[in-house]
Amino acid sequence: MKKIMLPFFSFLLVLSCNSQKNIAVAQTPTPTMPASAPNSGYWQQHVDYKMHIDMDVNTYQYKGKQELIYTNNSPDVLYRVYYHLYFNAFQPGSEMDVRSRTIADPDARVGDRISKLNPNEIGYIKVNSLKQNGVNIKHETVGTVLEVDLAKPIQPGEKVTFNMDFDAQVPVQIRRSGRNSKEGVALSMAQWYPKMAEYDFEGWHADPYIGREFHGVWGDFDVKLSIDKNYIVGGTGYLQNPNQIGYGYETGTVNRPNTDKLTWHFKAPNVHDFTWAADPDYIHDVLQMPNGPTLHFLYKKDLNANELENWKKLQPKTAELMQFFNKHIGNYPYKQYSVIQGGDGGMEYAMSTLITGKRSFGSLVGVTAHELAHKWFQFLLATNETKHEWIDEGFTVYISNHAMNEVMNQGKKNPLTSAYNSYIGLAKSGLEQPLTTHSDRYEFNSVYSTQAYSKGAVFLAQLGYVIGEENLQKTIKKYFNDFAFTHPKPFDIIRTAEKVSGLELDWYFIDFAQTTNTIDYGVKSVEGNTITLERIGLMPMPIDVTVTYNDGSSEDFYIPLRMMRGEKPTKATIIKDWAWAYPTYAFETSKAIKSVQIDPLEMMADVDKTNNRISI
């Protein structure tokens, strides 16, 4: 891979007075929705945004004009629409503020900070006017949601144009978005614009912004951003006017306007969000991967020597991570991807991520691996994060842990061991809630985190135990191929696994994702050559058993679960299936037994492993 250092790029634009260099942008096709929908009845709404934003970097206020063409692809007549106004969460008395001050274990980044904000520190989006096809329409701001009564219902298949003028203020950096982060990044602009809520077969998803993540409508963005000429801007989309900005990568006459502000014009095809960051003191590095995409790295000049070196070493590792995900999930379809220092931790966005930059090398690679993996699990496979956060976070943990194991040569036998241990600890605590719980409705933040990240990862890893590892890898690739650029639901991964494996798997989805039933199998007794196993937990599973004989040899047995209606591929000796309602199961061996071990590879999330082995 050729590493390029340059002051300008079409996705993240960086100002520099030192040099101008050319870069060949990878000729990746414009991403589009799959030609065939994942199922015959599937539909999704579409948005086309045009926005012009005028930012004042001194007051942190901006004015916006938005034209939104909304296409109703649903079979329903729509009488209302809703917009998210996320910045309104950063005001004293907001739901985010009150929830953070009343939950037992608040996020330390939030705590009671919102309640103490002064008027010039809060965030807000104020809608001044809104028209539907040129007609003024009634709207009301209710917390972080704009409720809109339409002048005329939107018919199935109809396109309507909404025109909006709005004023906004960037809040002090508290959670994800904001100004003047602890690391000194001026502007981290995520969820900063009036954003149309998603409508699907379940209805509207106009959830208030209380603290969790997001859901958006697929569409195209055309954004013009006017900002102080000294600021370095990066974010979603491809820059349309590099020569007018003054640091173009193409030959030709530079026509930079003599003004205090520059206007950056970005277009982003087929995304469901638009994010940008800006600071006058960013360093910009570029790494061109063979056949694309182009990787961009944007980080502050004032990092210490070790931190600056870590950002340099991060760059080839990011390329390796991109190659890993391309190989094991599917090809990244956009021309660029950018790692930007900003925000308050790590958060994924369209074609980019915001991460804190003052980290050790291992931490920097780890957070990048996780956020980059989100480009597949959540951005391209755009599940509703407010409802199904475990698909988003858990599947990302699964694949990024495997990627880190390879890219960083960690040598772990099971990269998900910590996730298994974390989930099992929660399952035994009595605090667990079903994965069907809305992400804002968890009693404790810690329970949300463990379930979203750890149990979600175990769900996918353990699925490999159930259907076989090779089938799991095929399932992941088919899931991506069938559902990229759509909004898959949790059961879609199980149906995909069923199609790949030929097994019936609804029981697995029901017990592990929709209940708090636990897995607990044990070796009850060994009498002569007869082994008796018992099911103690309520959740059924197929069972792998290794028997070691007195002569030193061993034999692997596989006990199918009857309700699976089949077996995973295995080299083990397959014996009769086990029906769930029977609490015990016995089988005989041909030789004298020394020991019996259930699940020797520990890929089953058994909550009590002390009874999994017996020695004679």
Side-chain angles (χ1 to χ4, degrees), residues 407-426:
V407 168
M408 298 297 283
N409 300 311
Q410 294 175 334
K412 295 179 180 179
K413 184 178 179 181
N414 180 3
L416 278 303
T417 296
S418 61
Y420 275 81
N421 291 340
S422 180
Y423 156 66
I424 290 170
L426 175 62

Side-chain angles (χ1 to χ4, degrees), residues 15 232 279-283 299-304 308 341:
L15 294 180
I232 298 163
D279 193 277
D281 295 316
Y282 274 138
I283 293 172
Y299 52 101
K300 294 276 287 183
K301 295 177 182 177
D302 62 0
L303 296 175
N304 67 40
L308 289 170
Q341 183 184 358

Side-chain angles (χ1 to χ4, degrees), residues 56-89:
D56 185 332
V57 298
N58 296 311
T59 64
Y60 303 103
Q61 295 177 353
Y62 55 101
K63 295 183 179 296
K65 293 183 180 296
Q66 181 188 94
E67 177 187 278
L68 171 58
I69 300 174
Y70 184 78
T71 304
N72 180 16
N73 290 318
S74 82
D76 306 323
V77 179
L78 304 181
Y79 297 91
R80 304 185 90 196
V81 298
Y82 301 88
Y83 288 78
H84 297 285
L85 307 175
Y86 291 108
F87 272 7
N88 289 357

